Amino acid sequence: MPKEVEITEQRELTQYDDPTVYKSIYDVVIAKKQPLDWRRVSGTEFRLLNYAAGESTEIAVGRVGAGGLLANFNRWEREYGTEDVITDISGLKKVMLLEREASMIQLNGEFQKKLGGMPVKYQGWATTGVICDVGGGVLVTVKMMGPEEEVAAQHENFMEFLKNIKINPMQEPSERSKKGLKIEEVKSGY
Amino acid sequence: MAKKNKNVGMLILDFFSSYLLCIACLVILGLLVWFSTLEMKFIGLSGALDKYYSSDLDKFFVLPTINGDKVLPLPLPGAYWVCAVLFLNMLVGGLIRIRKSWRNIGAVISHFGIAGLLVVGFVDHHESIHSKMETFQGNTYDYTTKFDFTSIEVSEFTAEGDKKKPYVIKHDMIVDLEDGMRRFKFQDLPFDLEVRNFREHAVVRDVANYVKSQESGESVDGFFLQPAKFDASQDYYNYGCYVQVKPKNGEPPRQIILCRSMGFPQTFSVDGKLYGVEMPNEIWPMPFSVELINSVGEHYPGTNRPSKFQSTIAWTGKDDDSVEKLKTIKMNEPMRYEGFTLYQANWSEPINGLEFSGFEVVNNPADQWPKACMWISAAGLLIHFALRLFKYLVRETKKQNANQEGEA
Amino acid sequence: MLTRKGKLKLMNKKIRILGFVLTMLVILAVAGKGIRSLMVSEPPREITGYQQWNTEVVEEMRSLPVQDGGRIKPFQSLARRYMYAMHGDRGMKILVNGERVKLTPTEWMMDVIFRPGIADDLPVFRVDNSAILEQVDMEVKTLRDRYSFNQLKPHFVKLQEMFDDVKSQIDSRGKASLSNEQEQLYSFMQLLQGYVGLRNPFFIDEKTQEQSGYTSMKDFYASNQSYVENLGVAQEAGVVSLIEFMDGKIISDAILMNVINRRASYSNLVLNPTAGERAWSSIGKRFEEVSSVYGDAFSGYSQQVIALKEKYGALNTDNLSDYFKDYVPVYKSYMDSLPPVQKMKAPEFDVVGNEKVVLERFSEGLINEVEELERLQLALSSEEAGKQQAGIIAFKEKYADQIDFGDEGGSISGEIILNKMNYFNYGIAILLFAGVMMIAMCLSVGTMFGRILYWVVFGLVSMACLFTVAGIVHRSWIMDRSPIGTLYDTMPFIVGTGLILLLLIEWIHKRGVMLAVGIVFGVAILFLAKSFEIMDASDTMDPLVAVLKSNYWLSTHVVMITLGYMGGIVAAIISHFYLIGRVFGVIDDKETKRYLTTIVYGMIAFTLLFSLVGTILGGIWAADSWGRFWGWDPKENGALLIVIWMLVILHSRLGGYIREVGLHVCSVFGFVVIVFSWWHVNFLGIGLHNYGFTSADAMGSIWNFYYMEFLIMFAGIVMAIIGTVKKNNSKIDKQVTAIAEKSALNQPL
C-alpha cells in the first residue's frame, strides 16, 4: 500500500449532505453557516452543536429541559464563584435567537471547570451566554467560554452565529400531498 | 514419456474426483463451522465471519480458539477455500466423471443443485453489498451507509454553508493505518490530509469528564480518542482515527479527531474557505429515494414482545420521479427494485414524537438463485432415494413371496 | 420338542435379551437422572388450618379468562405457568392434618390472590442454590429446597439490597458479566416480586381494617356516598364534632389509600378486561395513580393541621371562630387537591339505597373494576362453596362479551380440555406399558402367547402415536398456527411423526424391533418435553415474535428441519440397538443385522433430504427477513452440520470407508450433531436465533449425553476392530489351512 495517494473520487451529493434531513434525533437544532475561525467538534450528551475557537474557547448550543431561565443563568454564575447575582430577567440584554427574544449575559473572572473529573480554576476567563425559551418547558442555550481576549475577539462571530441557529422542522407527511405528486399504491411483491 | 504425463494427469483427476477428498472437505468444513459457532460468543458474528469465512489469502489458515483464549495448534484451511475445493470435487467427481446412468441420475441432479448453492455463496460473498438506511418520519433519503466499510470524506462548504461534492477515501486505504500513516493529496483542495492512529473500535471522550489512559490518543480541542473493546453483542464497529490537515500555503498543520459516531463533519478553514472532514461508513447513493410516511410497531397486549413491525414509505425511482408509489414494508415482506432489496430491519418507539424505521438495503445479484437450487437438489435427492426405496421394496416383496412359497 | 442343548441355548438367549433390555433401561435412566437431578424432593410440610377449596369451585375458576403473555387464556394456564416458574413442579405437596394433599396450580393461585395469609405459609419458592440465601444469613438445610414467603420475609431488605447491586451491575457491564450465583439471585428476586404482584391489592388486612375503620373497598365507596349526609348530621352536632368528623374521614381515607397505594404499585394482578383497551390493564396501576393523590393531599393537610393545633391548643368557644378562619382554607385546599368529584347514579350498592345521586371521586370504569374484584373477593371469602361458585360465575358473565381473542386465536374451553386431556402424559404411560408387554413378549418368543403380545404391543404403540398426534393437532387448533413454533413444540412433533414412520416400517417387516425403538424413542423425548416445560416455565402457547409470525415459513422450513431431526434421532436409536445388541450377542444373525442396517441407511437418506431442503428454505426465509441468505448464524450452522454429517456418512459408505458397524457408529455421532443443533446452540447466547434460555444445568445434561454417546461409539469402534481382526485372523487361518492341505495333498505317499 502506497504511503501517498492522490484522491480523485468524488461522491454525488445526496440527502446525507443536507443538514435539514434528520440523521439522528440530535438534528433538531442546526446551524448551516458558521464563522470561519471556528472549528466544529464532537457533540456531547448536553451539547447539540459544539465548536472550538482559538486555543481554548468553546462555543456550545445546548438544550435544557429543567429549571427556568434564571436557574440556568445562576448555574453559569456558579462557574465564576458568584451566586444568584442575576435575579431579574427583564434587566438583561435582549437578542434574537431562533426567531424569539432571548436574554444574554456576560460574565468574567476566575472560571472553574472540570478536567478529568476534577475541578480546575482558570484565571481571566469570560462567558457570553444566551438562553431562549422555546416553549413546552424547553430552553435552548448558546454559550461561549474561554480566555477573556479570545472571547472578546470572537464576540462578533458569536452574535452573527446566533442568527444562523435554526430549529430543524419535522416535516409533516401531509406536506407531500401539497407538492402535487401522483401517488400510486403498490402491492407487495414488487 | 507421454504415458507418464498421462499418469500424472490421471492421478490429479483421480484425486479431485475422489470420495476421500469429498469426505475430507466435508469433515474440515464441519470442524470449521463447529469451532466458529463456539467462538462467536467471544468475537461476535462479524469477528467469526472475518476469521473463518474470509476470502483473503492471508487468512488462509485458521487457528481455532477455545473458550476465548486457548489457541488450538490445529491449522485448518479457511471455509472459503474448503468450499472452493469442494466445488471442484463436485464438478469433476460428481458431475463430469460420474457414470451417467439411470441409477445415478438423481445424484447428478442433486450435485448440480448443491454446486449451484456454492456458486450462490461465492457470488454473495464477493458481490453482495449490505447497507442500512435509518429513516425518520417526513424525511426523504436517497442513500444508505454500508456495513463494515468505513470511509473518510472531505468537502468544501460554500459561503452559504452548502456542502460541495465530497472526496472519498475508501476503507482499504484506512484500515492498515493502526501504526502507520498515509498522506492523501487532493488536486483541487489547498491542503493534504495525513491519516494515522486508525482504531477499529473506539470512543470519543471529553477531557472534562475523563482521564486519559496509556492507549488514549492525544487531546484535540477538549476531546481524545479512546480505543475500546469490541462488544460482540452490539456488533457495531465505531471506527476512529486522527487526521492532520497540512495546508499547502505553509500554515502550521492542525489535528482533527474523526470517529464514526460523531455523525457530522469536523470543520476547519484554509485560505478563507470552510472545509469539513468526517468518517461515516461508506455512503452509497441509491437509484431511488424513500420518504418515511409512518412506522407502526405493535406489541402483544400487556407484553414487550413485538407482534408487528411495518413501515409505509413513499418511494420514487430516480429515472421516473413523477410517479411516487406508496409501499408498505413488513417483517418478512421486503421490497425489490432493480437488484436492490429493502428490508424492515429495526424499529423503535417514536422519540420526541418523531417516528423512526430502520431498513436494510441489499444488492445481491444471486438473490433469486437459491430457490432454483433448492428445487433442483430436492428433486435430485428424491429421485435418487425414491428409486432405491422402490428397488428395495420390490426386493422385499419378492423375498416375502418366495418365503411364502417355500412354506407352502 | 427341544433338546437339552436347545433348551440351554434358548435360556442363554433369554438372559442375553434381558441383559440387552436392562442396558437400554440403564441408558434411559442415565438420561432421566440428568433431568431428575434437577427435581427437588423434600418431605411435604404440614400446613396447619389449611382448608381445601371445593372441587366444583376450582373447576369454575379454572376456566376464568385472563390475559397473560399477550393472549387470552384460562386461569388454569396462567396458574400453571407461575407454578412451574416458582415451584418447579406441576403440583404442590403439603400435609393437612397428617394427610398428603397435592395442590393443583389453580388452587394455589386462588390462595395467593384471595387468601394470601395462607398462601404465604406454603412452600412456594424453589431455590436451587441455597448459597444465595446463606448470603442473607438465612438458615438452610440442603442445597436445593423450597421455601415459603413467610420464611423469606425477614430477609427481604437484605435480598433487595443484593438485587439492586446486581441490577446496577447489569446496567454498567451487561448481563454477560454476572456470575452464576448472581444470575440465580436475579431470577429468584424477579419471581419473588412476581409473587407479591399477584396478591389482591384490595384485600384489606386486619391491621388496616382496624386503623382505617373500613372493612372492604365497598365500605370505602359507601362512605364517600354517605359523606354528604353525615356532614349535615355532624354540623348539627356542633362545629367541633364537625371538624372531628371531617378529620376522621380524611384520616381514614388516607390510611386506606396509602396502604392500597403501596400494594397497588407492585400489583400486576390482571383478572378482568379494561373496557375499550386491547391490553387489559392491572387495576393496581390505575388505582395507584389516584390513590397517590390522596396520599399527597393528606400529608399536606395533616402538616397544616398539626401546625394549627400547636398554635391553638384545645378548642373552646373563645378561639373557635379564629381557629375556623384558619382551618377553612386548609380544608378547602385539601378538597381541591383531590380528584374531581363526579356525580353519578348509584350502582347496585346494597349498603346504601338505590337511585341516589352520589358523589364519586373516581372514574366509573375504575370503580366498576374494583367493585367486581371486591365482589369476587367477598364471594370467595364466604367459606360457602355455593356462594363462591356463584361469585365466580357472575364475574365471568359480567365480562363474557368483552373477551376478544383478536388475531391470535384461542379458545378457553378448548384449552381447558387440552389441559385435562394430558395427551402426552398418556402417551408416556401407554408406551411404558407397551414396554413391559414387550419384555414379556421377548421372554415368550416363539409361542402363541408371544404372537398375541406382539399385536398388543403394536396396538399400544399405535395408540400412543394417536394420542401424541391428537395433542399436537389440538394445540395447533387452539393457537391457530402451524404445529411447531417454539422449542417445546418440536418434541411432541418429533415423537408423533417418528412413531408414524416406525409403525409404517414395522407394518412392512413385522420383526418387532421398530416397536422397541418406538417405545424407547417416544418415552425419552416425551419425558424430556415434560421436564423442559417445567424448566423453561414459559407458556408454550403464547404468540410468537413478529419475525416468526408466518405460518407459511413455519409450516415449510421449520417442519422440514424438525423432520430432519426426527430422522436422525430414529436412525441413531436403531443404531444404539444394533451396537448394544451386538455387544451382548443378542443380535448375531446376518439377516437382522442387514435389516437394521438397511433401515438406518434409509433413515439417513430421509434425514439428508429433509435437512437439506429445510436448511435451504431457512436461507430463503432469512433472505426475505434479514436481507441475507446465509449468515453463518449459530442455528444455521447447526442445521448445516447435520447436512454435512449425513453427506459424510453416505459418501463414506459409497467410497467403502465404512461398512456396517461404521455406519451405525456414524449414525450415533449423528445424534450428537443433532443435539448440538437442536439444543446446544440455543444456550450460546448469540445470534438471531437465540431463544434466551440459558442454564448451566442444562449444559451439564447435554455434556453427560455427549459422554454417553461417545462411550457407545467407542464400544462400536472397538467391536469393529475386533471384528476386523477376527476376520483377518480367520482369513489367515483359512490360508494356512489351505496351504497345509495343499502341501498335504502333495505329500508323496
Side-chain angles (χ1 to χ4, degrees):
Chain A
M1 271 284 180
K3 278 296 164 193
E4 262 190 35
V5 178
E6 166 119 18
I7 300 291
T8 50
E9 182 176 342
Q10 281 181 303
R11 170 175 66 75
E12 289 297 320
L13 288 173
T14 64
Q15 297 282 56
Y16 178 78
D17 309 297
D18 180 351
T20 60
V21 172
Y22 269 76
K23 291 188 276 294
S24 81
I25 52 163
Y26 298 113
D27 289 338
V28 63
V29 169
I30 55 171
K32 243 175 102 173
K33 287 207 287 192
Q34 61 154 88
L36 277 177
D37 295 343
W38 292 7
R39 309 178 286 278
R40 189 164 179 198
V41 292
S42 171
T44 67
E45 197 185 337
F46 300 108
R47 300 183 183 192
L48 298 172
L49 301 173
N50 203 9
Y51 300 85
E55 291 280 309
S56 353
T57 304
E58 300 166 44
I59 303 97
V61 178
R63 196 174 71 167
V64 183
L69 262 78
L70 262 184
N72 281 289
F73 280 132
N74 290 332
R75 186 164 51 85
W76 291 350
E77 285 182 302
R78 282 193 281 277
E79 288 172 332
Y80 284 88
T82 54
E83 189 88 39
D84 295 343
V85 171
I86 298 171
T87 47
D88 188 9
I89 302 290
S90 50
L92 297 172
K93 180 168 174 203
K94 298 286 179 265
V95 294
M96 289 306 283
L97 176 64
L98 300 171
E99 286 157 28
R100 293 168 175 76
E101 198 181 68
S103 306
M104 180 164 114
I105 65 165
Q106 283 170 295
L107 305 164
N108 53 19
E110 185 188 75
F111 185 74
Q112 180 175 298
K113 70 170 180 170
K114 278 200 278 188
L115 190 66
M118 304 301 296
V120 174
K121 293 198 165 78
Y122 295 88
Q123 304 299 331
W125 270 44
T127 293
T128 309
V130 176
I131 305 186
C132 162
D133 188 341
V134 293
V138 176
L139 309 170
V140 173
T141 64
V142 186
K143 188 179 172 201
M144 175 165 68
M145 35 186 174
E148 270 175 15
E149 318 81 55
E150 285 189 3
V151 169
Q154 295 297 334
H155 186 77
E156 255 190 66
N157 277 337
F158 182 82
M159 298 310 287
E160 188 64 31
F161 179 66
L162 290 178
K163 300 180 194 159
N164 293 327
I165 304 175
K166 305 248 187 296
I167 290 187
N168 192 9
M170 291 188 289
Q171 281 231 45
E172 290 297 322
S174 54
E175 291 289 316
R176 284 173 37 260
S177 52
K178 294 180 191 163
K179 290 188 208 159
L181 289 172
K182 186 175 118 195
I183 297 170
E184 217 177 84
E185 177 92 44
V186 174
K187 302 273 176 288
S188 58
Y190 188 94
Chain B
M1 213 75 234
K3 232 182 182 175
K4 223 182 176 176
N5 275 345
K6 211 178 176 192
N7 260 343
V8 170
M10 288 307 278
L11 276 173
I12 294 176
L13 264 176
D14 282 344
F15 171 69
F16 274 105
S17 61
S18 65
Y19 281 119
L20 192 58
L21 183 65
C22 165
I23 295 165
C25 284
L26 286 171
V27 169
I28 295 175
L29 186 63
L31 284 172
L32 288 166
V33 169
W34 184 61
F35 280 125
S36 72
T37 308
L38 293 175
E39 219 182 308
M40 261 179 230
K41 193 168 162 192
F42 304 98
I43 61 178
L45 198 59
S46 324
L49 283 174
D50 202 41
K51 179 172 174 181
Y52 288 84
Y53 304 98
S54 167
S55 54
D56 287 342
L57 263 171
D58 50 340
K59 294 200 181 105
F60 184 86
F61 278 112
V62 175
L63 283 167
T65 314
I66 314 279
N67 264 344
D69 48 5
K70 281 203 281 261
V71 178
L72 215 66
L74 177 72
L76 297 168
Y80 178 85
W81 304 105
V82 175
C83 285
V85 173
L86 193 62
F87 177 75
L88 210 60
N89 174 258
M90 219 185 295
L91 209 63
V92 179
L95 285 169
I96 298 177
R97 271 190 139 197
I98 191 172
R99 211 174 310 175
K100 320 271 193 308
S101 67
W102 280 116
R103 278 194 81 207
N104 286 334
I105 188 82
V108 171
I109 297 175
S110 58
H111 283 149
F112 193 67
I114 297 182
L117 276 177
L118 288 171
V119 171
V120 168
F122 177 81
V123 172
D124 186 33
H125 183 97
H126 287 287
E127 300 298 313
S128 78
I129 306 177
H130 294 249
S131 61
K132 72 172 170 181
M133 185 192 266
E134 291 182 327
T135 64
F136 290 87
Q137 185 183 32
N139 288 267
T140 307
Y141 303 84
D142 59 352
Y143 69 92
T144 61
T145 44
K146 293 188 185 176
F147 282 127
D148 303 329
F149 284 96
T150 185
S151 71
I152 295 178
E153 291 194 346
V154 191
S155 47
E156 183 189 324
F157 285 93
T158 66
E160 295 312 304
D162 294 315
K163 214 167 159 190
K164 286 194 178 169
K165 278 202 250 183
Y167 286 94
V168 182
I169 303 173
K170 294 256 172 107
H171 180 89
D172 295 331
M173 289 192 275
I174 305 169
V175 290
D176 57 343
L177 297 176
E178 255 191 66
D179 299 315
M181 179 271 288
R182 186 166 286 125
R183 194 178 183 121
F184 294 94
K185 291 166 144 7
F186 309 89
Q187 206 183 30
D188 297 333
L189 298 180
F191 54 84
D192 295 339
L193 286 181
E194 274 181 12
V195 178
R196 53 167 61 81
N197 299 124
F198 170 77
R199 298 285 174 259
E200 202 177 50
H201 192 65
V203 67
V204 175
R205 293 272 188 238
D206 58 313
V207 297
N209 292 309
Y210 291 90
V211 178
K212 284 210 239 177
S213 67
Q214 221 185 4
E215 313 93 45
S216 309
E218 31 175 308
S219 313
V220 175
D221 284 333
F223 293 96
F224 61 91
L225 196 67
Q226 179 71 31
K229 190 160 165 238
F230 175 70
D231 183 355
S233 65
Q234 297 294 324
D235 233 10
Y236 175 90
Y237 284 105
N238 202 25
Y239 303 104
C241 66
Y242 279 80
V243 158
Q244 216 176 53
V245 176
K246 291 227 149 88
K248 288 177 184 164
N249 61 12
E251 277 175 24
R254 357 246 173 104
Q255 281 266 61
I256 298 180
I257 301 176
L258 292 183
C259 190
R260 179 184 177 189
S261 56
M262 282 174 171
F264 47 77
Q266 311 294 290
T267 55
F268 57 94
S269 63
V270 175
D271 286 346
K273 291 223 184 96
L274 192 67
Y275 298 90
V277 61
E278 55 181 327
M279 197 173 183
N281 269 24
E282 192 180 322
I283 307 287
W284 194 13
M286 290 282 119
F288 55 84
S289 69
V290 162
E291 180 187 339
L292 181 67
I293 305 296
N294 66 20
S295 80
V296 170
E298 272 177 22
H299 297 274
Y300 288 113
T303 66
N304 283 331
R305 213 175 326 130
S307 77
K308 191 190 336 191
F309 283 155
Q310 65 184 54
S311 314
T312 306
I313 58 170
W315 172 92
T316 316
K318 282 230 165 107
D319 55 353
D320 182 17
D321 58 359
S322 62
V323 179
E324 207 181 30
K325 299 174 181 66
L326 273 184
K327 173 84 171 90
T328 303
I329 317 260
K330 298 185 195 169
M331 205 81 208
N332 295 328
E333 282 179 46
M335 177 191 108
R336 293 187 158 88
Y337 173 74
E338 281 187 13
F340 291 93
T341 317
L342 191 88
Y343 301 87
Q344 178 76 61
N346 315 325
W347 184 89
S348 71
E349 295 283 333
I351 309 163
N352 291 338
L354 199 55
E355 282 182 20
F356 166 82
S357 198
F359 298 109
E360 186 169 323
V361 179
V362 178
N363 185 311
N364 183 359
D367 186 44
Q368 297 296 316
W369 301 357
K371 272 194 202 131
C373 293
M374 181 193 77
W375 288 116
I376 296 171
S377 323
L381 283 174
L382 260 174
I383 294 172
H384 183 82
F385 290 123
L387 273 175
R388 273 174 175 59
L389 181 65
F390 180 67
K391 271 191 5 200
Y392 172 76
L393 287 172
V394 162
R395 228 184 14 232
E396 274 299 300
T397 26
K398 268 197 200 151
K399 212 194 288 180
Q400 283 191 5
N401 287 342
N403 279 347
Q404 285 177 346
E405 278 171 23
E407 282 169 17
Chain C
M1 204 45 215
L2 284 168
T3 61
R4 189 183 149 79
K5 209 177 182 181
K7 275 193 191 148
L8 264 170
K9 208 173 172 189
L10 194 60
M11 177 70 83
N12 263 342
K13 184 144 190 166
K14 285 187 186 173
I15 292 174
R16 278 183 290 158
I17 290 174
L18 214 57
F20 166 75
V21 166
L22 284 172
T23 313
M24 296 305 284
L25 285 176
V26 163
I27 292 178
L28 262 180
V30 165
K33 186 174 183 290
I35 298 162
R36 275 230 90 80
S37 70
L38 301 169
M39 305 284 195
V40 184
S41 54
E42 75 285 331
R45 216 177 294 179
E46 169 80 36
I47 310 293
T48 38
Y50 186 84
Q51 293 268 12
Q52 272 198 287
W53 296 96
N54 172 284
T55 40
E56 277 171 22
V57 172
V58 176
E59 178 85 31
E60 202 63 59
M61 194 66 175
R62 275 202 193 113
S63 56
L64 175 72
V66 293
Q67 190 187 65
D68 172 61
R71 72 181 184 107
I72 296 177
K73 56 179 79 163
F75 187 84
Q76 181 189 38
S77 300
L78 174 78
R80 276 185 173 192
R81 153 166 117 67
Y82 274 111
M83 183 170 250
Y84 294 169
M86 294 182 193
H87 192 65
D89 203 352
R90 287 162 207 278
M92 198 179 294
K93 300 189 192 81
I94 56 170
L95 287 176
V96 180
N97 296 328
E99 268 185 47
R100 277 180 175 245
V101 168
K102 188 164 179 185
L103 294 179
T104 63
T106 307
E107 290 170 302
W108 165 67
M109 192 68 125
M110 285 167 77
D111 282 333
V112 172
I113 296 176
F114 300 106
R115 304 197 300 201
I118 294 175
D120 289 348
D121 267 333
L122 296 172
V124 175
F125 298 97
R126 173 185 136 156
V127 176
D128 278 338
N129 184 0
S130 56
I132 60 179
L133 293 177
E134 277 171 344
Q135 280 189 23
V136 293
D137 304 324
M138 204 169 138
E139 262 189 46
V140 293
K141 286 181 282 170
T142 54
L143 184 70
R144 289 200 169 98
D145 205 352
R146 293 193 168 106
Y147 300 91
S148 71
F149 188 72
N150 282 337
Q151 280 179 295
L152 296 164
K153 219 174 183 179
H155 309 278
F156 274 175
V157 175
K158 268 203 161 158
L159 281 169
Q160 183 67 38
E161 276 172 21
M162 282 168 53
F163 181 56
D164 289 333
D165 287 339
V166 171
K167 270 204 289 196
S168 56
Q169 189 175 328
I170 292 178
D171 284 335
S172 59
R173 292 199 275 151
K175 231 177 175 180
S177 70
L178 296 177
S179 72
N180 222 21
E181 242 179 58
Q182 284 176 315
E183 256 190 63
Q184 288 173 326
L185 178 73
Y186 186 73
S187 323
F188 175 68
M189 285 308 288
Q190 286 185 316
L191 287 177
L192 206 54
Q193 286 175 347
Y195 178 87
V196 172
L198 285 173
R199 289 139 119 231
N200 187 332
F202 303 108
F203 177 67
I204 304 181
D205 56 12
E206 280 176 14
K207 186 164 144 206
T208 313
Q209 282 181 19
E210 230 181 322
Q211 288 181 338
S212 67
Y214 295 117
T215 50
S216 69
M217 286 305 295
K218 220 190 238 177
D219 231 13
F220 167 70
Y221 287 121
S223 92
N224 276 348
Q225 281 174 254
S226 57
Y227 191 54
V228 175
E229 298 171 7
N230 293 332
L231 259 181
V233 168
Q235 208 156 21
E236 282 171 27
V239 173
V240 175
S241 62
L242 170 67
I243 295 173
E244 278 172 3
F245 169 76
M246 280 158 33
D247 275 0
K249 165 90 173 123
I250 292 167
I251 292 169
S252 294
D253 284 2
I255 289 174
L256 181 65
M257 287 303 113
N258 273 319
V259 168
I260 301 272
N261 180 38
R262 266 203 316 273
R263 292 218 209 101
S265 65
Y266 289 119
S267 172
N268 34 0
L269 183 62
V270 180
L271 282 187
N272 41 12
T274 309
E277 290 175 39
R278 205 173 150 230
W280 302 8
S281 35
S282 126
I283 317 169
K285 291 276 182 303
R286 299 168 64 210
F287 198 87
E288 183 198 359
E289 292 166 22
V290 178
S291 60
S292 63
V293 174
Y294 265 90
D296 293 342
F298 173 70
S299 59
Y301 171 82
S302 67
Q303 278 172 13
Q304 293 180 291
V305 164
I306 290 170
L308 277 181
K309 287 213 165 110
E310 274 175 19
K311 183 175 170 190
Y312 283 91
L315 289 177
N316 51 48
T317 40
D318 293 327
N319 59 18
L320 195 58
S321 56
D322 291 326
Y323 176 83
F324 218 42
K325 266 195 218 125
D326 286 341
Y327 177 76
V328 166
V330 165
Y331 180 69
K332 198 168 178 305
S333 83
Y334 166 71
M335 294 301 276
D336 287 341
S337 60
L338 295 177
V341 171
Q342 298 163 65
K343 288 204 175 77
M344 43 182 277
K345 284 232 176 87
E348 333 81 72
F349 289 161
D350 50 12
V351 174
V352 186
N354 38 14
E355 296 290 322
K356 276 217 174 132
V357 172
V358 182
L359 297 177
E360 291 290 357
R361 290 194 182 279
F362 304 97
S363 72
E364 190 174 349
L366 184 62
I367 296 177
N368 288 339
E369 283 178 48
V370 175
E371 273 281 301
E372 286 302 320
L373 196 57
E374 261 269 307
R375 276 205 192 96
L376 189 63
Q377 168 78 45
L378 286 172
L380 286 173
S381 5
S382 75
E383 300 203 11
E384 267 180 65
K387 278 209 185 131
Q388 292 175 348
Q389 200 173 358
I392 300 175
I393 293 175
F395 190 82
K396 283 198 263 190
E397 262 169 36
K398 180 93 203 288
Y399 295 107
D401 53 355
Q402 290 183 42
I403 307 294
D404 174 25
F405 290 98
D407 295 331
E408 319 312 328
S411 154
I412 299 292
S413 50
E415 202 167 330
I416 295 285
I417 296 175
L418 177 73
N419 290 340
K420 204 180 280 194
M421 280 305 285
N422 270 326
Y423 294 102
F424 306 141
N425 280 347
Y426 276 116
I428 297 178
I430 295 171
L431 285 173
L432 284 173
F433 184 53
V436 171
M437 292 288 105
M438 179 141 235
I439 295 176
M441 178 192 100
C442 287
L443 291 173
S444 41
V445 141
T447 65
M448 175 60 135
F449 187 53
R451 272 206 286 276
I452 295 175
L453 279 177
Y454 171 81
W455 285 109
V456 168
V457 174
F458 194 100
L460 286 171
V461 174
S462 308
M463 210 159 75
C465 177
L466 221 72
F467 266 87
T468 311
V469 171
I472 297 167
V473 169
H474 195 161
R475 280 169 58 89
S476 202
W477 172 74
I478 292 178
M479 296 184 290
D480 202 17
R481 72 167 187 245
S482 188
I484 313 173
T486 63
L487 196 51
Y488 173 81
D489 295 332
T490 55
M491 291 182 272
F493 188 84
I494 286 177
V495 173
T497 47
L499 285 178
I500 292 175
L501 201 58
L502 286 167
L503 284 167
L504 220 76
I505 300 172
E506 182 61 36
W507 181 257
I508 299 174
H509 297 110
K510 298 196 185 58
R511 279 169 182 261
V513 186
M514 295 301 132
L515 291 178
V517 170
I519 291 169
V520 168
F521 162 77
V523 169
I525 297 184
L526 282 179
F527 192 68
L528 180 65
K530 261 185 80 143
S531 318
F532 178 73
E533 197 180 10
I534 293 186
M535 291 196 314
D536 193 36
S538 67
D539 189 330
T540 57
M541 301 216 290
D542 278 347
L544 303 169
V545 276
V547 68
L548 291 177
K549 228 172 114 172
S550 162
N551 269 337
Y552 172 76
W553 289 116
L554 287 178
S555 315
T556 50
H557 157 69
V558 176
V559 167
M560 298 207 95
I561 291 279
T562 313
L563 286 173
Y565 288 162
M566 181 271 281
I569 296 173
V570 169
I573 295 186
I574 299 176
S575 295
H576 277 69
F577 270 74
Y578 177 95
L579 290 171
I580 299 173
R582 271 195 72 170
V583 162
F584 275 86
V586 172
I587 297 171
D588 52 2
D589 64 308
K590 218 173 183 168
E591 221 196 308
T592 314
K593 285 195 280 187
R594 191 176 290 176
Y595 165 67
L596 289 178
T597 308
T598 314
I599 303 294
V600 167
Y601 174 80
M603 293 309 299
I604 303 264
F606 178 92
T607 307
L608 174 64
L609 176 65
F610 281 94
S611 298
L612 180 65
V613 177
T615 304
I616 302 176
L617 278 171
I620 298 173
W621 184 6
D624 267 355
S625 276
W626 300 311
R628 89 292 180 280
F629 172 79
W630 193 260
W632 302 108
D633 170 80
K635 199 74 180 170
E636 289 169 337
N637 285 351
L640 182 64
L641 282 172
I642 299 177
V643 175
I644 289 178
W645 186 247
M646 296 300 133
L647 286 172
V648 165
I649 297 179
L650 287 174
H651 286 90
S652 304
R653 224 176 111 78
L654 278 171
Y657 295 101
I658 54 170
R659 269 172 274 268
E660 209 173 78
V661 177
L663 176 71
H664 290 284
V665 169
C666 286
S667 150
V668 170
F669 186 67
F671 203 174
V672 171
V673 176
I674 287 176
V675 167
F676 180 79
S677 167
W678 189 18
W679 292 100
H680 196 149
V681 290
N682 295 319
F683 305 145
L684 292 174
I686 15 101
L688 292 160
H689 277 94
N690 177 27
Y691 293 97
F693 180 102
T694 43
S695 162
D697 287 325
M699 280 308 293
S701 304
I702 291 182
W703 277 105
N704 283 340
F705 168 77
Y706 288 162
Y707 295 145
M708 192 169 79
E709 295 305 288
F710 281 127
L711 208 69
I712 293 174
M713 281 166 60
F714 182 69
I717 293 172
V718 164
M719 192 171 67
I721 294 174
I722 293 177
T724 316
V725 166
K726 264 200 193 151
K727 210 194 270 179
N728 284 344
N729 281 346
S730 71
K731 227 194 246 171
I732 294 172
D733 282 342
K734 280 202 188 114
Q735 285 174 349
V736 165
T737 325
I739 293 171
E741 281 178 355
K742 216 172 168 192
S743 44
L745 284 169
N746 287 340
Q747 280 288 355
L749 287 161

